[in-house]
Amino acid sequence: MTAVDHMPSHDDDKTTQPGLRGDAGESLLWVRDLVKSFQIRSSAGFWRHEQLALRAVDHVSFDIKAGETFGLVGESGCGKSTLARCILRLLESDSGDIIFDGADLRTLSRDDMRAYRRRMQIVFQDPYASLDPRMSIGETVEEPLRVHGIGDQTEREARVDEVLSLVGITGDQRTRKPHAFSGGQRQRIGIARALILYPELVVLDEPVSALDVSIQAQVLNLLRDLQQRLNLTYLFIVHDLAIAEYFCDRLAVLYLGAVMEMADRETLFHNPLHPYTVALLSAVPTPDPAAGRRGKRIALSGEVNPLSTREGGCRFRSRCPIGKDRPLCRAEEPPLTQLQPGHWVSCHYPGELAPR
Amino acid sequence: MISFLRMRLAGALATIFGASLISFILLRVLPGDPVRLIAGPLASEQALEGVRRQLGIDLPLPVQYARYIGGFVTGDWGFSFTAGGPVREVFASRIAATAELALFAFVIAFTAALILALLATYRRNRIIDGFVRVISTFGLGTPQFWLAMILLIVFFEQLNLFPGPSGRLDASTLAPPRVTGLLTVDSLLAGRWDAFSQAIEHLILPALSLGFVPFAFLVRLLRANLLEMSREPFIVVVRSKGIGYWATHTRHVLPNAFLPTLTASGLILAELLTGSVLVEKVFAWPGIGALVVDSILRQDYAVVQSFILLTAVLYVGVSFLVDMLYGVIDPRTRNPVSQRG
Amino acid sequence: MRAVRGVSFEVRRGEKVGIVGESGSGKSALALSILRLIAPPGEVVGGQVWLNDRDLMRLREREMAHVRGSEIALIFQDPMTALDPVMTIGAQIVESIRKHRPDVSRKEARDRAIELLRDVEVPLAERRIDDYPHQLSGGMRQRVVIAIALANDPPLLIADEPTTALDVTTQAQVLDVLERAVEERGAAVILITHNLGIVADFCDSVKVMYAGRLVEQATPTDLFRSPIHPYSEALLRSIPDPARLEQGPLPTIPGAPPSLANLPAGCAFEPRCPLGRGVAICKNTAPPVIPIGQGVAECHFAEERWADNETMRKEAAADDRS
């Protein structure tokens, strides 16, 4: 077990917790100190192995205001999808609070949870895998209504037509099966399915990653348009930083299950303080040959290694361009600290590595 | 790995226990009275009582079961009244015949399936592939005894290429001294070439009849796996290195396609080893299959129970071996986790 | 159905050429056609591929097998499925070396494989060489795939979406490795991608593919500053750009790419084109290949647009000089 308890004490001073500020009343969702660990088997050979508990989500706290788009960015394996699934209680978390519109979701019974589940929906990454190939798209979109026992047949059909037309699918296409649709259209259908229950919070799990550039733009426009029309709140999971910058109001950068940096878009992309954020941003190739990005790239050595959280100290240390050999980084996990209003960083030497 | 072994062992024991319990109960609730069969229709009530006591079936059922399991573990498998000897000896004298036939049939079926599937899928050869598809469909629908009869009529009666239904050796040939019980092996050990070639000749027709269905099944499975693997992206990469079609097919497509057929092969071998009643009957093969059918008809509890239990042990053993084999030959099972710290 | 239709281009020694297109544009089919590895029932129905002074399409299969891996090598898009799962990575590299140089001993080939793994920056290469693919991360596997492609120092590498499945940081590492490797060896690269950022970053020239044809070929600077073909322009404009966040929704390309089985008579982009939609010539006549600047474009408006962009290019050139 990882026994290192690296967050500052969680109980005495609540103002050091993002999401529990004075104005938290506006928040639709607060996540506080959320932890989710998985047991993994690590083998030292054919006959020997040991059980390890690794925290996929490690004391994560943030809040999302109503109508806002909150982005979770990070490399694969950083825990962003696990975190989202814990919030929707598709996965049970180990500890922490998930407060949605005043109710702590973690403590709700299955029955009580049903009412909240209607208000929170998810759109998945893969528009090919997430639709049942044997169901017509009308049935797929209608299914949540039937599951929740809403309306009679005519009412349900009217609502399906309404939501399909919202995402740009015409009513006469509703009897077709998913294979008759392109990737972009399938993603629209996935969005319609998520919207049919009129949710307030929609988790978008890499909704455009599998799509071509021109289709990506169409879906992003649609999502933004729907957000304004239906007053939706988005939790947007994304690994493409260009899309993150374009689409999100505030973002958290995750590394190995913990928040490295959290700020509004402007601050995060123009004044990043955590060396991981800086390196991540520098690695994105920009579609401008004159930018000469290659010279500006800050190369991160090595790869994400989940076992590095077990060594204590900063979890990013082994790949950090500035902290690799510093005693403080080896000894202590830096706390997530608010350096400017709304700008949270978990680093002993914030701002030292400047974007070039 | 240790905990995996422990789980497997527990599962295996549970399976065997379940099989023993079901066979024990089933045989006792079935109608019919073996005691009457043994003692004869005119025996007195007293005589029947005596037989019951002798067989131990006057005791309460749980006690009977306990004695049966205890006996099985210690090697006392009971007494077969139809064969007139201890069950263990009866089995021992017949199991080698079944095993030799089964192994022979398996090797034929497996080799033929492998070669034909390889040729059928190599560059999508339409002629061989069509032939394989027809023969496998045919094979899956062919009754064993019918095939056995046809083979006998054609190759023994008409062409006289192979010996008829006369058991494992000609009647006039002396069996080699028993070492393994497998005549082909024993005759080689004894340097008896005549017995060896005769044993092979006697094996061919029954092995063909017995192996045809498993062959049809395996060739179908291998063909499907080979086709699937030949469409895998890594095959394009191998070809882009300049590796030729045939080398790609045998060195890369085949090993990957072979792995998923291992389980099926193991189960087929286990099935063959439990003996085939009809084929053994047609070829007068002195194996297990014929013995078991006779015992069922005569309600010879001890033989049937032991047979069911042995079958369970065999299946469990084979699937355990197959799992171990995966561990040895599939690198993904051998070293499951990538982290090296 | 034709996935690739009348595509012509040349690659010079040491040049890094980018081919950009969306899914279904035929870019992967083009790569496999050059290697003559199109899986049946697909086939290359016509055309020539000249490597130095030989037409690869007219070689016998045996000769072609010799070209693959030694003169043209492929870097495959998905590292997770590009390697044989039951063979060690070392064996897979050695296989490639010994296929083309049978005189090399096993020991020498193994040493060479370790060296190659070091070249592509696989740490602890001498130990990793006996690993199986599943023991490596995606980034490491893609390095192994690159090592296999480099095994015989081929003068031409075709990289089909080499970093699509990877994270940005890993993508940056892999592109660095690839760039260094080809520069040291003087190899030419055809980089196929949908990521315009990578093209801008990596390539000396760009070709934009749409519905099986190269609709525009240009230098990255020309293409990104002043795209000639309306499709290139639309593609560039649909990349999310936070700078134009306040200007309303992202520009998109209406409609969907045409089905390759049912192509329009004229320009394939006409039904979606902001300039040419409904224009008679675009509808009825397939546009010719028009030389423009240092490249070519297949658009009836190409010359007009090039002239319009003249001032923009001059300003940009002035910017670059300052």
Side-chain angles (χ1 to χ4, degrees):
Chain A
M1 278 295 299
T2 28
V4 207
D5 215 355
H6 29 69
M7 290 292 282
S9 64
H10 308 299
D11 298 314
D12 44 17
D13 185 5
K14 298 215 188 299
T15 57
T16 62
Q17 291 289 314
L20 289 177
R21 303 173 301 232
D23 63 348
E26 299 167 27
S27 301
L28 180 66
L29 177 78
W30 307 345
V31 172
R32 199 178 85 102
D33 265 342
L34 198 69
V35 176
K36 168 73 188 171
S37 45
F38 289 109
Q39 300 287 321
I40 63 152
R41 263 179 32 174
S42 166
S43 83
F46 186 52
W47 295 101
R48 288 177 298 144
H49 76 272
E50 46 181 332
Q51 290 280 337
L52 297 174
L54 288 178
R55 285 189 194 148
V57 177
D58 199 350
H59 294 286
V60 169
S61 304
F62 63 89
D63 72 316
I64 309 180
K65 291 194 255 317
E68 184 181 43
T69 300
F70 187 81
L72 288 175
V73 298
E75 294 173 274
S76 47
C78 72
K80 47 193 196 297
S81 288
T82 308
L83 174 56
R85 279 163 178 71
C86 286
I87 291 170
L88 295 176
R89 276 190 63 186
L90 299 172
L91 277 175
E92 293 298 336
S93 41
D94 302 351
S95 65
D97 306 307
I98 306 163
I99 296 159
F100 179 80
D101 196 20
D104 187 349
L105 299 185
R106 286 193 71 245
T107 61
L108 292 181
S109 68
R110 283 199 170 275
D111 283 345
D112 293 339
M113 186 64 205
R114 272 176 79 87
Y116 285 92
R117 203 150 265 162
R118 286 173 56 176
R119 303 169 61 187
M120 326 163 64
Q121 293 294 317
I122 183 163
V123 176
F124 293 100
Q125 169 174 7
D126 187 348
Y128 292 89
S130 63
L131 299 177
D132 186 336
R134 287 154 305 177
M135 277 163 86
S136 78
I137 59 144
E139 289 165 346
T140 298
V141 174
E142 189 194 336
E143 197 181 26
L145 290 178
R146 272 187 279 123
V147 169
H148 286 271
I150 296 167
D152 59 27
Q153 191 61 38
T154 24
E155 282 167 11
R156 288 205 294 260
E157 273 174 24
R159 192 139 142 195
V160 168
D161 281 344
E162 177 207 324
V163 171
L164 279 177
S165 75
L166 263 182
V167 300
I169 305 271
T170 53
D172 56 329
Q173 292 175 303
R174 51 176 295 172
T175 53
R176 298 197 197 156
K177 302 273 162 65
H179 65 80
F181 295 90
S182 67
Q185 285 174 312
R186 288 184 208 208
Q187 200 53 292
R188 287 164 185 272
I189 295 161
I191 293 167
R193 177 177 53 185
L195 294 183
I196 191 83
L197 292 168
Y198 300 146
E200 289 149 70
L201 175 71
V202 179
V203 175
L204 304 166
D205 189 355
E206 303 269 12
V208 296
S209 304
L211 305 176
D212 273 316
V213 187
S214 66
I215 311 297
Q216 240 175 34
Q218 293 173 4
V219 174
L220 288 176
N221 284 342
L222 172 71
L223 287 170
R224 180 156 282 168
D225 177 53
L226 290 170
Q227 181 172 38
Q228 277 155 10
R229 276 210 259 173
L230 307 174
N231 192 27
L232 296 170
T233 306
Y234 286 150
L235 174 59
F236 193 55
I237 299 171
V238 57
H239 73 274
D240 185 323
L241 293 162
I243 292 175
E245 184 179 3
Y246 178 77
F247 202 75
C248 301
D249 301 318
R250 280 196 310 131
L251 302 99
V253 180
L254 291 182
Y255 188 77
L256 287 173
V259 175
M260 296 290 104
E261 184 161 8
M262 177 156 61
D264 61 75
R265 172 186 45 235
E266 269 299 305
T267 314
L268 194 82
F269 284 90
H270 295 108
N271 184 26
L273 294 177
H274 197 288
Y276 179 59
T277 317
V278 175
L280 209 53
L281 291 177
S282 80
V284 182
T286 40
D288 180 1
R293 273 281 177 153
R294 260 179 283 160
K296 297 183 178 176
R297 192 182 289 152
I298 298 160
L300 284 185
S301 56
E303 303 183 318
V304 178
N305 177 6
L307 296 176
S308 61
T309 53
R310 295 164 52 81
E311 291 154 11
C314 176
R315 63 191 63 218
F316 181 58
R317 191 191 68 223
S318 63
R319 302 179 71 195
C320 184
I322 57 169
K324 201 172 281 173
D325 304 313
R326 282 174 152 160
L328 181 58
C329 300
R330 188 174 308 136
E332 261 180 62
E333 172 106 56
L336 188 61
T337 319
Q338 184 166 221
L339 294 180
Q340 279 135 35
H343 191 174
W344 298 78
V345 184
S346 164
C347 179
H348 291 302
Y349 303 98
E352 195 173 294
L353 184 69
R356 285 181 224 165
Chain B
M1 199 60 217
I2 299 287
S3 76
F4 168 74
L5 278 180
R6 224 182 280 135
M7 290 284 291
R8 278 305 310 246
L9 209 61
L13 285 176
T15 310
I16 293 170
F17 173 73
S20 71
L21 200 63
I22 290 169
S23 69
F24 179 82
I25 292 169
L26 268 183
L27 284 175
R28 269 153 191 81
V29 297
L30 286 177
D33 187 358
V35 177
R36 191 50 85 181
L37 276 175
I38 296 168
L42 300 173
S44 67
E45 194 52 43
Q46 238 177 342
L48 290 179
E49 201 53 46
V51 175
R52 282 202 187 95
R53 201 167 312 124
Q54 208 187 332
L55 292 176
I57 56 181
D58 56 334
L59 298 166
L61 284 178
V63 178
Q64 280 187 46
Y65 179 73
R67 282 174 55 158
Y68 152 58
I69 291 294
F72 188 84
V73 174
T74 55
D76 173 14
W77 296 357
F79 189 85
S80 163
F81 57 82
T82 52
V87 172
R88 210 158 67 113
E89 280 170 27
V90 177
F91 273 139
S93 70
R94 285 171 163 262
I95 212 150
T98 291
E100 185 164 39
L101 179 55
L103 290 174
F104 211 72
F106 182 75
V107 169
I108 291 177
F110 191 82
T111 318
L114 195 65
I115 292 170
L116 277 176
L118 262 182
L119 294 177
T121 52
Y122 173 60
R123 303 194 68 176
R124 313 258 164 100
N125 187 320
R126 286 189 189 193
I127 298 165
I128 302 179
D129 195 32
F131 170 70
V132 164
R133 271 165 33 192
V134 168
I135 202 172
S136 69
T137 312
F138 180 68
L140 288 175
T142 307
Q144 273 181 356
F145 74 94
W146 180 82
L147 184 65
M149 301 295 263
I150 295 290
L151 287 177
L152 270 180
I153 291 168
V154 175
F155 291 99
F156 166 61
E157 253 184 34
Q158 302 295 321
L159 303 176
N160 209 8
L161 285 174
F162 294 103
S166 53
R168 304 171 75 188
L169 289 174
D170 290 349
S172 56
T173 310
L174 197 68
R178 185 185 170 104
V179 182
T180 60
L182 308 177
L183 290 184
T184 45
V185 178
D186 288 352
S187 55
L188 279 184
L189 289 176
R192 292 268 312 279
W193 291 101
D194 60 321
F196 177 73
S197 62
Q198 219 177 74
I200 297 276
E201 279 171 11
H202 277 260
L203 273 167
I204 285 178
L205 291 186
L208 282 179
S209 346
L210 198 57
F212 195 52
V213 176
F215 154 78
F217 181 77
L218 274 178
V219 79
R220 206 167 245 232
L221 193 65
L222 268 171
R223 176 184 169 276
N225 285 339
L226 283 165
L227 279 182
E228 194 187 317
M229 282 301 153
S230 63
R231 283 191 286 263
E232 285 289 305
F234 71 83
I235 295 302
V236 176
V237 178
V238 170
R239 299 271 296 122
S240 80
K241 295 197 278 190
I243 309 299
Y245 283 114
W246 182 247
T248 307
H249 206 60
T250 49
R251 257 188 278 165
H252 295 274
V253 180
L254 181 62
N256 281 285
F258 178 71
L259 279 173
T261 63
L262 208 58
T263 308
S265 307
L267 290 179
I268 284 172
L269 182 62
E271 193 185 317
L272 289 174
L273 279 172
T274 58
S276 159
V277 179
L278 293 166
V279 172
E280 288 185 4
K281 277 271 182 210
V282 172
F283 289 96
W285 201 260
I288 293 275
L291 169 75
V292 171
V293 172
D294 288 347
S295 306
I296 291 172
L297 293 176
R298 297 192 199 159
Q299 298 195 318
D300 194 346
Y301 283 179
V303 173
V304 180
Q305 269 177 3
S306 302
F307 174 74
I308 293 175
L309 210 49
L310 276 180
T311 307
V313 171
L314 183 71
Y315 271 86
V316 164
V318 166
S319 71
F320 185 76
L321 272 179
V322 166
D323 283 358
M324 292 287 100
L325 259 180
Y326 273 116
V328 174
I329 64 180
D330 187 346
R332 285 160 295 189
T333 327
R334 194 161 57 221
N335 9 22
V337 173
S338 56
Q339 308 302 342
R340 279 193 175 171
Chain C
M1 177 176 115
R2 295 199 168 173
V4 180
R5 316 170 290 135
V7 161
S8 302
F9 66 98
E10 63 167 6
V11 179
R12 286 186 297 277
R13 220 173 282 281
E15 191 184 12
K16 287 175 285 183
V17 173
I19 296 184
V20 192
E22 298 183 89
S23 33
S25 62
K27 47 194 201 307
S28 290
L30 175 62
L32 293 180
S33 302
I34 295 171
L35 283 161
R36 286 182 37 192
L37 284 177
I38 293 280
E43 58 174 333
V44 177
V45 288
Q48 302 158 341
V49 176
W50 291 88
L51 181 70
N52 296 325
D53 48 6
R54 277 181 304 165
D55 180 0
L56 300 185
M57 292 300 141
R58 292 168 66 176
L59 294 183
R60 278 190 301 256
E61 176 55 34
R62 281 180 66 91
E63 296 167 320
M64 190 61 211
H66 199 79
V67 170
R68 290 187 203 114
S70 77
E71 293 175 70
I72 306 180
L74 177 71
I75 297 171
F76 195 71
Q77 51 176 303
D78 181 3
M80 302 319 258
T81 59
L83 295 167
D84 187 336
V86 300
M87 207 184 233
T88 64
I89 58 170
Q92 297 187 52
I93 303 174
V94 165
E95 184 182 37
S96 188
I97 297 172
R98 285 178 41 100
K99 163 72 193 177
H100 298 287
R101 277 176 287 167
D103 52 307
V104 175
S105 75
R106 277 179 197 286
K107 174 81 182 67
E108 284 164 352
R110 189 183 155 87
D111 290 345
R112 168 102 179 102
I114 295 175
E115 209 176 291
L116 280 163
L117 287 176
R118 286 207 189 104
D119 282 355
V120 295
E121 293 166 25
V122 171
L124 302 171
E126 62 288 346
R127 275 209 272 155
R128 285 295 195 188
I129 189 167
D130 293 318
D131 278 359
Y132 288 89
H134 73 275
Q135 292 168 291
L136 306 176
S137 67
M140 285 299 147
R141 286 190 216 188
Q142 194 58 299
R143 288 160 199 249
V144 173
V145 173
I146 294 174
I148 290 174
L150 295 173
N152 295 296
D153 285 332
L156 175 61
L157 284 163
I158 301 178
D160 186 2
E161 302 268 13
T163 59
T164 303
L166 306 174
D167 279 317
V168 270
T169 56
T170 317
Q171 167 175 296
Q173 292 171 353
V174 167
L175 285 177
D176 283 345
V177 163
L178 187 60
E179 176 149 41
R180 218 172 38 71
V182 296
E183 254 157 33
E184 280 168 10
R185 291 167 168 82
V189 182
I190 299 178
L191 181 86
I192 295 171
T193 180
H194 69 278
N195 187 326
L196 293 155
I198 292 179
V199 171
D201 212 34
F202 190 84
C203 296
D204 308 320
S205 69
V206 196
K207 297 161 196 329
V208 180
M209 198 154 185
Y210 184 77
R213 290 191 67 89
L214 298 181
V215 295
E216 181 164 1
Q217 308 190 33
T219 63
T221 317
D222 280 351
L223 184 83
F224 286 90
R225 288 280 162 71
S226 54
I228 297 301
H229 199 285
Y231 174 67
S232 316
E233 187 180 4
L235 200 60
L236 283 167
R237 280 158 56 95
S238 60
I239 301 171
D241 179 4
R244 43 185 321 282
L245 206 53
E246 309 310 320
Q247 300 167 30
L250 280 171
T252 59
I253 310 176
S259 151
L260 293 170
N262 185 22
L263 284 167
C267 174
F269 189 57
E270 179 270 328
R272 306 174 74 189
C273 184
L275 275 179
R277 185 158 65 176
V279 175
I281 185 170
C282 299
K283 224 172 171 164
N284 303 322
T285 318
V289 180
I290 298 170
I292 285 296
Q294 296 171 50
V296 296
E298 294 186 355
C299 175
H300 293 296
F301 296 100
E303 276 157 344
E304 236 173 90
R305 283 171 63 85
W306 174 258
D308 288 350
N309 286 337
E310 192 64 46
T311 37
M312 246 176 79
R313 269 193 311 279
K314 277 183 183 147
E315 281 165 20
D319 279 359
D320 286 350
R321 271 194 297 277
S322 64

